Amino acid sequence: MSLYQSLFDRLKAQDEGAFIPFLTLGDPDLETSFEHLCLLVENGADALELGMPFSDPVADGPTIQGATLRALAAGTTPQKALDLIRRLKDRYPQIPVGLLTYANLVFAAGIDSFYQQAKAAGVDSVLVADVPVRESQPFVAAAKTAGVAPVLIAPPNGSEETLKAVAELSEGYVYLVSRAGVTGTETAAGKPLGHIIETLRRYQSAPVVLGFGIGEPSQVRAALEAGCDGAISGSATVKAAERGPKALARFVEGMKAASRQA
């Protein structure tokens, strides 16, 4: 049984949703980044979504773009990012870790090699942010061969055909995007997307986790009430980390607490 399946089974039995914070690996430097990742785990994160710094993060808004620039300026390479995950998984082997990356980084390493290196680092899932469903087969195949869960994005305006493919190809969880555009709390999450969740369920998808614009505990609750299995918060987590360790810890505690409310 995968760590994701164990996690979602446990949370369902406890009548809880998952809270999954996102941070960019190596932001603002490798050591501080490791301390931040440990803070996420110690303060209630159910799983982590971690970004591999890339110079052209087209899916990300200004907050995560800034985090990426800081990480790159600090010398974070793909290998150093994976080393950071390996170090984290050595300390917390039961925390599911998802890697968010871009296709160029996968191709630069060689698609099979990239997924094998990710697996060796302890990565549980990989989401390639700029690869649409129709182009995803080589990535999905390489992921499954390496024993890594491929995660695909369910777009808010996805057709029945697209959502069916997402449900059939995604493992670990499905990343449901709350609205069109890039990441960031500058634009709030859209209205609950019940019809999309119902469609994904009809095709027996992996657990559905809502992302984009999630920055308040009330939005975690709204996602769960709409039928999602959890919520991902990226830009708001990065902003909390920018305010310091105490602010980051309080933010994670508050968001996780919202996932426990009946």
Side-chain angles (χ1 to χ4, degrees), residues 39-88:
L39 276 174
L40 300 181
V41 179
E42 296 293 340
N43 287 279
D46 293 303
L48 302 181
E49 184 76 9
L50 303 177
M52 180 173 278
F54 176 54
S55 58
D56 188 21
V58 295
D60 292 312
T63 299
I64 295 177
Q65 287 181 18
T68 294
L69 291 174
R70 288 192 295 269
L72 291 173
T76 305
T77 62
Q79 185 57 58
K80 289 180 179 178
L82 291 177
D83 290 346
L84 203 55
I85 292 176
R86 179 70 273 160
R87 189 176 166 194
L88 181 76

Side-chain angles (χ1 to χ4, degrees), residues 3-5 18 32-33 83 93 100 105 112-113 116 121 140 147 161 176-177 201 225 232 244 254:
L3 291 184
Y4 282 116
Q5 186 174 349
T32 307
S33 180
D83 290 346
L100 189 149
L105 295 178
D112 291 326
S113 177
Q116 290 164 6
V140 170
E161 181 182 14
L176 174 58
V177 173
R201 300 278 193 229
E225 290 169 359
I232 290 178

Side-chain angles (χ1 to χ4, degrees), residues 2-5 7-8 20-22 25 47-52 82 85 89 95-101 106 114-129 139-140 142-144 146-152 169-175 206-207 209 232:
S2 73
L3 291 184
Y4 282 116
Q5 186 174 349
L7 169 67
F8 285 107
I20 305 176
F22 168 98
L25 291 158
L48 302 181
E49 184 76 9
L50 303 177
M52 180 173 278
L82 291 177
I85 292 176
K89 290 298 290 263
I95 188 84
V97 171
L99 181 64
L100 189 149
T101 189
V106 180
F114 180 90
Y115 282 96
Q116 290 164 6
Q117 291 174 36
K119 177 66 176 180
V123 170
D124 297 286
S125 68
V126 171
L127 191 166
V128 186
F139 299 86
V140 170
K144 291 185 176 182
V148 174
V151 172
L152 274 71
L169 295 173
S170 279
E171 296 182 0
Y173 66 93
V174 169
Y175 193 126
V209 179
I232 290 178

